């Protein structure tokens, strides 16, 4: 690849990024190669290379046969905190400690700030977690799916805060914690549902102190696993 | 480069990583090329390639003419949160909000957990910040150095918690915030020193509630800048 070509694909990636930042949101499909080539007046090959660069930094993802979509947290790479370089045993305890520290505050802020559209997403995530616990107990889904629902529930709470950085930190705390632990599944399902409805009600009813307290009670149920 | 050679340098990088994880800490100098080649029984070229791979993921850094050193937060890359993809104006407000949420809790945990060696590092960081403020007011240092001291002070508090993940999150919050803001310097120095001594005293004297409260008061002084 010549230097000029490379520079052009990099410039094009920057142009596409600007378009994404101004017109698209996470999960949106962006225009196809041909449309981008036309509007940016470069070749389809250049577009293809630019898209590859944007894939590499997790700005877009190509879903084969379906198109190119904006990623959830553009620019965040896999394991951005370098957890793989930390001692696994201490990592679980550290993440749990951080979780105890931050999650109650996040729940309280969610109760202060959440607007109806975010609250309805939270209610959906809560229903989904409850359903996943049932499905898991019936053997219909596996542990990974259950953990994903639990993680989505915490993310939905963080998203109620309408704070981009919190939404990016949240998965690093909860998913990190849930991923790092080797689960005793029957205990897990009991733990996951504890105080869940009270917590959601407190956020929906805009009661920050109650939300903080229920999150604390919920997390304390997990002490047996993580410490 | 042949596939076999590449695979060998990757394997070697893994071996060096294991050695680093078990025997070295951040800031330590690791054995030189010749020593590593001898102990791992590969060529110096392979060692060189393996070290390059470890540099790329920020596990070690080569200081020219001085040797190869273990990085502060191995595995964390530049801008791991992808802040560059977020709207700058909202980013400052989001980071400040997150800061208000997390920093008081971090200060309280620091007061609970800090052991003498960490407390003495905190006192050093606090003295250093006080000196930087003076130097800055006299025109002896620039804004970047001042901000670095302020960031180091917050990091020293987080490090009192003896929690690896908190120490990795902290710079992403405070440095992110301080980096994102265009500073009115004369106001900044007044803000930075407010409640600093009280905060340090509360942590040293193991008073979590006071530490939480002084951090809150300190951060509230910054409201004029960030909101």
């Amino acid at each position: 690849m010549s230097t000029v070509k490379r520079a052009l694909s990099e410039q094009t990636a920057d142009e596409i990024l600007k378009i994404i930042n101004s017109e698209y949101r996470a999960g949106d499909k962006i225009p196809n190669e041909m449309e981008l080539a036309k509007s940016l007046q470069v070749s389809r090959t250049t577009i293809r290379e630019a898209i590859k660069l944007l894939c590499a930094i997790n700005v877009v993802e190509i879903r084969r046969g379906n198109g190119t979509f904006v990623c959830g947290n553009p620019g965040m790479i896999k394991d951005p905190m370098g957890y793989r370089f930390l001692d696994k045993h201490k990592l679980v305890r550290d993440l749990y400690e951080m979780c105890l520290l931050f999650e109650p505050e996040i729940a309280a802020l969610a109760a202060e700030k959440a607007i109806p559209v975010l609250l309805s997403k939270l209610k959906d995530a809560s229903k989904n977690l409850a359903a996943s616990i049932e499905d898991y107990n019936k053997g219909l889904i596996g542990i990974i799916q259950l953990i994903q629902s639990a993680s989505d529930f915490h993310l939905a709470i963080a998203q109620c805060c309408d704070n981009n950085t919190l939404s990016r930190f949240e998965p690093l705390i909860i998913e990190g914690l849930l991923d790092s632990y080797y689960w005793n599944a029957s205990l897990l399902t009991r733990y996951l549902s504890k105080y869940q409805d009270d917590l959601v009600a407190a956020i929906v009813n805009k009661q920050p102190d109650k939300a903080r307290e229920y999150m604390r009670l919920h997390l304390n149920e997990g002490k047996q696993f993580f410490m």
Side-chain angles (χ1 to χ4, degrees), chain A residues 2 14 59 94 108 152:
Chain A
S2 75
D14 283 345
V59 169
D94 285 351
D152 288 346

Side-chain angles (χ1 to χ4, degrees), chain A residues 13-187:
Chain A
D14 283 345
E15 291 303 313
I16 298 173
L17 184 57
K18 273 185 210 153
I19 296 172
I20 290 173
N21 278 340
S22 61
E23 297 172 37
Y24 296 88
R25 308 198 62 160
D28 284 354
K29 186 174 178 169
I30 66 168
N32 65 27
E33 253 173 50
M34 207 156 58
E35 292 163 330
L36 286 171
K38 202 174 159 195
S39 75
L40 295 174
Q41 303 216 294
V42 294
S43 70
R44 286 180 64 172
T45 313
T46 302
I47 296 290
R48 203 167 303 138
E49 279 165 20
I51 294 288
K52 266 188 208 151
L53 291 173
L54 293 174
C55 279
I57 53 172
N58 204 23
V59 169
V60 295
E61 57 176 337
I62 298 166
R63 299 184 200 154
R64 204 157 289 203
N66 206 344
T68 302
F69 294 80
V70 180
C71 290
N73 282 322
M76 269 185 79
I77 54 151
K78 210 170 135 59
D79 191 25
M81 305 302 291
Y83 289 157
R84 68 193 180 287
F85 296 98
L86 297 174
D87 172 76
K88 292 284 164 275
H89 191 66
K90 182 159 163 52
L91 175 62
V92 172
R93 282 181 290 128
D94 285 351
L95 282 169
Y96 181 63
E97 185 173 67
M98 192 157 70
C99 194
L100 285 178
L101 219 61
F102 293 169
E103 294 294 321
E105 300 309 311
I106 292 172
L109 188 67
E112 266 177 48
K113 290 186 70 181
I115 55 175
V117 59
L118 298 172
L119 289 172
S120 95
K121 283 187 186 169
L122 171 61
K123 286 182 210 161
D124 289 346
S126 178
K127 269 185 218 152
N128 191 36
L129 174 56
S132 293
I133 292 173
E134 267 197 54
D135 287 351
Y136 181 80
N137 284 334
K138 289 184 194 154
L140 296 174
I141 62 168
I143 188 86
I144 302 293
Q145 275 172 282
L146 176 61
I147 284 176
Q148 192 57 55
S149 295
S151 177
D152 288 346
F153 174 63
H154 280 269
L155 181 58
I157 295 174
Q159 284 171 337
C160 284
C161 299
D162 188 29
N163 179 313
N164 290 333
T165 55
L166 272 181
S167 302
R168 288 179 171 227
F169 273 77
E170 181 61 44
L172 301 178
I173 304 172
I174 294 289
E175 281 183 20
L177 183 64
L178 296 174
D179 278 354
S180 310
Y181 188 76
Y182 179 74
W183 288 99
N184 172 326
S186 71
L187 285 174

